[in-house]
Amino acid sequence: MKRHDTLGTLLPILLLALFCLCILSVIAGGAGIYRDLTDAAQMRLQEGQCLPYVAAKVRAFDMRGAVSVREFDGISALCLTEELDGEAYCTYIYCTDGEVRELFTEADAPFDTDGGQTVLTALSLRFSYTDGVLTASFVGTDGIEQTLTSVLRSEATG
Amino acid sequence: MRNESRGVSFFAPIFRLLPTVLLFAAVLLFAHTALSRTEQASAEEGRRAAEQSLKNAAIACYTAEGFFPADWHYLAEHYGLSIDTERYFVAYDAFAENVMPDITVLEVGK
């Protein structure tokens, strides 16, 4: 009789505990799914902006000798040079550790891979420059490769 | 003999209910802790989303208009952003129009 009484008292509590656990599991699961969906959407939005962003940068620096491509320890970097108050500065755009980064520094300063500011996420971004034609190859986290080819008017008109 | 039986009968119901009360308190404590952690994680997620939205808008602005704005309010006005300024503080450091600004979003009070 005593055991029956104890069980009768404990059972509602145990049911309440199970109910709380189920609710919290649903909340946690739903939050996780929502976060994954928003992260994926953000990533696609970001990666879709990469090549247009590079194209806009190149257009802004489309002056003779301002655009070049350099290689630093296997990292392909687009170098956009400008002169400010008599000093030469370079904006490097490169990809490292899954991130497209931008580094603004003095033209003769050493290239610091970790010094750039993160702009976007990417698997890889490589540049090549030949006879006034800049080619940028971008691979997003989905593994799809996109290519941008830009003809510099400053080099073409001579 | 009477006094002893009276003492035993007084505490007996309390001892019988004690495990139930403790279990109930444990369930409430667990639920409260879990909900608090969920709230903290949600706040951090909101902060991260706000920061990322600002960065995306800055990149979109440069791509479309050719410059990074001096103030993040320009991005909020022209690129459809809505940042809860009572909850978040935006540290927007624009060095130049053609250099990506340093954007950090912090929770107010933290």
Side-chain angles (χ1 to χ4, degrees):
Chain A
M1 199 69 176
K2 250 189 189 176
R3 207 169 159 188
H4 181 71
D5 284 343
T6 310
L7 197 62
T9 313
L10 280 177
L11 196 58
I13 305 297
L14 288 171
L15 280 174
L16 175 66
L18 185 64
F19 181 64
C20 287
L21 208 62
C22 290
I23 286 178
L24 290 170
S25 301
V26 167
I27 291 171
I33 291 168
Y34 175 74
R35 185 176 54 207
D36 289 345
L37 282 172
T38 51
D39 281 353
Q42 283 281 8
M43 204 167 287
R44 278 201 188 84
L45 180 67
Q46 266 191 16
E47 292 178 0
Q49 291 181 317
C50 184
L51 290 180
Y53 178 72
V54 169
K57 278 280 182 180
V58 170
R59 264 198 307 273
F61 284 83
D62 193 352
M63 290 165 286
R64 183 165 282 278
V67 178
S68 61
V69 172
R70 297 184 194 174
E71 194 96 2
F72 301 97
D73 294 330
I75 296 173
S76 174
L78 176 68
C79 177
L80 307 168
T81 312
E82 62 183 317
E83 199 172 292
L84 297 168
D85 296 331
E87 294 267 354
Y89 291 89
C90 192
T91 301
Y92 293 102
I93 299 175
Y94 59 99
C95 182
T96 184
D97 295 334
E99 293 174 336
V100 173
R101 295 187 189 179
E102 188 174 299
L103 174 66
F104 179 76
T105 184
E106 291 173 1
D108 53 4
F111 179 74
D112 179 13
T113 319
D114 296 324
Q117 197 181 150
T118 303
V119 177
L120 304 157
T121 56
L123 279 184
S124 110
L125 177 62
R126 297 201 64 83
F127 301 96
S128 65
Y129 182 63
T130 315
D131 297 329
V133 178
L134 174 74
T135 305
S137 297
F138 168 82
V139 180
T141 50
D142 55 3
I144 297 171
E145 185 174 351
Q146 300 170 56
T147 306
L148 165 77
T149 305
S150 184
V151 178
L152 300 178
R153 282 190 285 183
S154 58
E155 300 296 331
T157 54
Chain B
M1 192 113 173
R2 251 192 200 173
N3 285 339
E4 278 180 11
S5 65
R6 198 178 290 160
V8 168
S9 65
F10 177 75
F11 287 109
I14 294 171
F15 287 133
R16 263 207 308 272
L17 281 174
L18 198 58
T20 309
V21 170
L22 286 175
L23 186 58
F24 187 72
V27 167
L28 282 180
L29 187 65
F30 170 74
H32 179 261
T33 308
L35 283 171
S36 294
R37 284 198 181 166
T38 305
E39 199 181 333
Q40 279 174 14
S42 169
E44 171 58 24
E45 196 60 34
R47 187 206 67 78
R48 203 173 64 87
E51 191 172 293
Q52 198 54 61
S53 298
L54 276 165
K55 287 181 178 177
N56 288 349
I59 293 166
C61 182
Y62 187 87
T63 305
E65 301 183 57
F67 70 95
F68 291 109
D71 194 315
W72 70 270
H73 292 100
Y74 181 92
L75 296 174
E77 195 182 322
H78 293 86
Y79 289 86
L81 293 182
S82 177
I83 308 287
D84 184 356
T85 50
E86 285 182 14
R87 199 172 171 190
Y88 302 112
F89 172 75
V90 179
Y92 184 94
D93 183 18
F95 172 71
E97 274 190 355
N98 62 343
V99 177
M100 177 80 178
D102 191 8
I103 300 171
T104 308
V105 174
L106 304 165
E107 262 190 272
V108 172
K110 277 204 173 178

